[in-house]
Amino acid sequence: MLLPEGDLKAILEAALAEGGDFAEIFLERRRTTSISCEDNKIERVISGLEQGAGIRVIAGENTAYGYSNDLSRESLIQTAALVGKALKEQKRSAGRKGQISFHRPRPEVEFNIKKRPDQIPVAEKVALVERANAAARSVDGRITQVTIGYGDVIQEVTIANSEGVLVDDERVRCRFVVNAVASDGKVIQTGFESAGGHQGWELFEEVNPEEKARQAARRAVMMLEARPAPAGKMPVVMAGEAGGTMIHEACGHGLEADLVQKQLSVYAGKKGQKVASELITVIDDPTIPGKYGSFRFDDEGTPGQKTVLIENGILKEYMYDYLTARKEGRRSTGNGRRESYQDRPIPRMTNTYIAPGKDDPEAILRETKYGLLVKRMGGGQVNTTNGDFVFDVAEGYLIQDGKVGPAVRGATLTGNGPEVLKIIDRVGNDLGFALGTCGKDGQGVPVGDAQPTIRIPEMVVGGILDEEDKQ
């Protein structure tokens, strides 16, 4: 616990002294290690400690927020008073009455960290990065550049609010990334791989970092030899291993309650309506053990919970934090997240995925005579207001007579998220996860996303128009 209960009560009372009706304090101590290797040498080994507290006061529809890196009782009482006074000129509520009596919510899940990263020598972490670098470079002489990154974080938090919620939590995450560049003198291609989760050094008992590095290098080399992607409308099979980038970007953000309430989401006002194929169920779940977006409590002290957003094509729920839930007189879904104590919480995804279906992934491919097989997604852009998106394909193959054909490069996928979800006609019984840092309103938070193998009967694929490929 980062502060005694008595101090927390005093800080919250100071925040409410000017008449606010809700106050919250978020205390954080974060220890990090970051190692990077470039140009065949270790470039950076950085360890750090950061701590501070964020204080929020809500009065009616108005919110004020302030933070400090001084965790002393006196400093935080002063900060709380300043935050409370920031609302003084605005329309005030009658204020909260009565004493604050804390209770501790119970989490729906417990995570077992087997090997804490702070107990692993830095030299061992550096050695792992160096082995991965050597493995990637050994794949092919055309590998010209390899970048390896390792990072771990141990985040201790204490969250308390004037409604009596008091939570202590510890989040432990490790992450490993590889980016390989290959060149034949004319063409340059890249390959990327990553691994990570809400877990400790045991991550590398599940994931072989050298093999991850070789996979990235092999993809870069393979893309050198790939033919240009054809252009036009065609069936697209997205393999489970592609991860859930599309569902995260083209659908997930539009289901965050702040965007819905601001009418900035294509899904606003559609709860209870059909928004996807009956084969599609979309879930957000921070309680999955070991995944990168997992947690016991969100950053407002609400226990993490599984939320079914779309069920058999019907929109069932949005993702709420405390403030958006308060506006509708309901409970939070446990999606209030923030990057650090310097940021106010907003509705965010956690681990978001399309639930597995009943189809054999191999049968989906076999029964698709022509099209594009996507095995790895790249970056992209999405308009959450209308659902339009454009995504790059990092690894793709032509489908010819139901079989995996030649690799193609330069493909893009263009479409509309809600429309694509409505026409999906095959959903596999597999599930592949990806991880990343999701950005929104200037804040980045760790997330996971996943999907099974799915088939979209028709999508616009950007590439090079080649009539021969359509035969």
Side-chain angles (χ1 to χ4, degrees), residues 377-383 387-392 412-416:
M377 296 287 287
Q381 293 181 322
V382 179
N383 182 332
D388 289 344
F389 65 79
V390 178
F391 290 121
D392 295 327
T412 60
L413 302 178
T414 303
N416 177 274

Side-chain angles (χ1 to χ4, degrees), residues 9 56 75 89 105 108 110 139 161 194 243 247 328 350 353 372 392 407 423 428 438 454 467:
K9 287 183 181 180
R56 176 171 59 157
S75 173
E89 300 303 320
E108 294 191 7
E110 294 290 349
V139 166
N161 67 39
S194 63
I247 196 66
E328 297 183 21
T350 63
Y353 62 96
L372 179 70
D392 295 327
I423 63 173
C438 175
I454 59 175
E467 292 298 326

Side-chain angles (χ1 to χ4, degrees), residues 315-327:
L315 177 57
K316 294 289 188 179
E317 186 62 287
Y318 303 119
M319 289 171 279
Y320 290 86
D321 65 353
Y322 174 85
L323 187 59
T324 53
R326 170 187 167 110
K327 289 178 180 178

Side-chain angles (χ1 to χ4, degrees), residues 9 13 96-101 162:
K9 287 183 181 180
E13 288 167 358
R96 187 185 184 279
K97 305 297 183 182
Q99 294 290 318
I100 298 172
S101 178
S162 56

Side-chain angles (χ1 to χ4, degrees), residues 157-225:
V157 299
T158 295
I159 306 163
N161 67 39
S162 56
E163 294 183 351
V165 170
L166 176 59
V167 163
D168 293 301
D169 198 15
E170 182 180 66
R171 294 90 174 256
V172 178
R173 289 186 174 89
C174 287
R175 186 178 185 185
F176 172 81
V177 297
V178 185
N179 194 62
V181 179
S183 174
D184 60 6
K186 297 179 181 179
V187 177
I188 296 175
Q189 293 292 318
T190 62
F192 178 82
E193 283 289 337
S194 63
H198 189 295
Q199 51 189 313
W201 192 252
E202 67 268 16
L203 168 68
F204 301 106
E205 296 175 357
E206 304 171 10
V207 174
N208 184 319
E210 290 102 319
E211 182 55 30
K212 278 287 182 185
R214 285 189 287 266
Q215 288 175 2
R218 284 194 290 263
R219 181 173 297 112
V221 171
M222 180 183 67
M223 287 295 107
L224 282 179
E225 302 166 355

Side-chain angles (χ1 to χ4, degrees), residues 219-442:
R219 181 173 297 112
V221 171
M222 180 183 67
M223 287 295 107
L224 282 179
E225 302 166 355
R227 61 196 288 184
K233 293 182 178 179
M234 66 187 73
V236 173
V237 175
M238 299 186 68
E241 64 192 87
T245 301
M246 190 181 76
I247 196 66
H248 175 100
E249 295 290 354
C251 174
H253 280 297
L255 296 175
E256 292 167 338
D258 54 342
L259 296 179
V260 172
Q261 291 175 350
K262 295 172 184 175
Q263 300 296 309
L264 296 176
S265 167
V266 68
Y267 295 107
K270 293 186 177 179
K271 192 177 288 188
Q273 297 181 26
K274 185 176 181 181
V275 297
S277 160
E278 61 274 5
L279 301 175
I280 296 298
T281 292
V282 179
I283 296 169
D284 184 81
D285 188 0
T287 69
I288 305 173
K291 298 306 180 185
Y292 203 54
S294 297
F295 51 73
R296 295 165 70 239
F297 298 95
D298 75 357
D299 292 326
E300 297 176 306
T302 303
Q305 63 188 60
K306 178 179 179 179
T307 303
V308 178
L309 304 170
I310 298 173
E311 185 173 27
N312 300 326
I314 305 299
L315 177 57
K316 294 289 188 179
E317 186 62 287
Y318 303 119
M319 289 171 279
Y320 290 86
D321 65 353
Y322 174 85
L323 187 59
T324 53
R326 170 187 167 110
K327 289 178 180 178
E328 297 183 21
R330 53 158 297 156
R331 290 175 179 264
S332 167
T333 56
N335 289 90
R337 307 187 68 190
R338 63 184 103 200
E339 181 173 339
S340 79
Y341 70 90
Q342 299 180 22
D343 304 289
R344 69 181 67 191
I346 53 177
R348 305 298 298 272
M349 285 174 276
T350 63
N351 300 306
T352 311
Y353 62 96
I354 297 176
K358 299 179 180 179
D359 290 329
D360 177 1
E362 293 183 4
I364 296 175
L365 178 64
R366 189 166 58 245
E367 295 166 17
T368 305
K369 296 306 177 185
Y370 170 79
L372 179 70
L373 172 64
V374 178
K375 283 201 171 183
R376 188 72 64 184
M377 296 287 287
Q381 293 181 322
V382 179
N383 182 332
T384 59
T385 304
N386 60 20
D388 289 344
F389 65 79
V390 178
F391 290 121
D392 295 327
V393 176
E395 181 182 353
Y397 302 84
L398 287 180
I399 301 172
Q400 298 174 329
D401 295 322
K403 298 178 181 178
V404 180
V408 294
R409 67 175 182 240
T412 60
L413 302 178
T414 303
N416 177 274
E419 295 305 315
V420 166
L421 288 180
K422 287 177 182 177
I423 63 173
I424 291 172
D425 65 351
R426 302 292 294 273
V427 178
N429 55 17
D430 55 340
L431 188 66
F433 272 87
L435 61 95
T437 300
C438 175
K440 177 182 173 183
D441 291 358

Side-chain angles (χ1 to χ4, degrees), residues 464-471:
I464 298 176
L465 192 61
D466 187 344
E467 292 298 326
E468 182 179 338
D469 284 319
K470 291 179 148 187
Q471 305 303 318

Side-chain angles (χ1 to χ4, degrees), residues 444-457:
V445 296
V447 296
D449 46 59
Q451 66 168 56
T453 298
I454 59 175
R455 184 174 72 180
I456 303 151

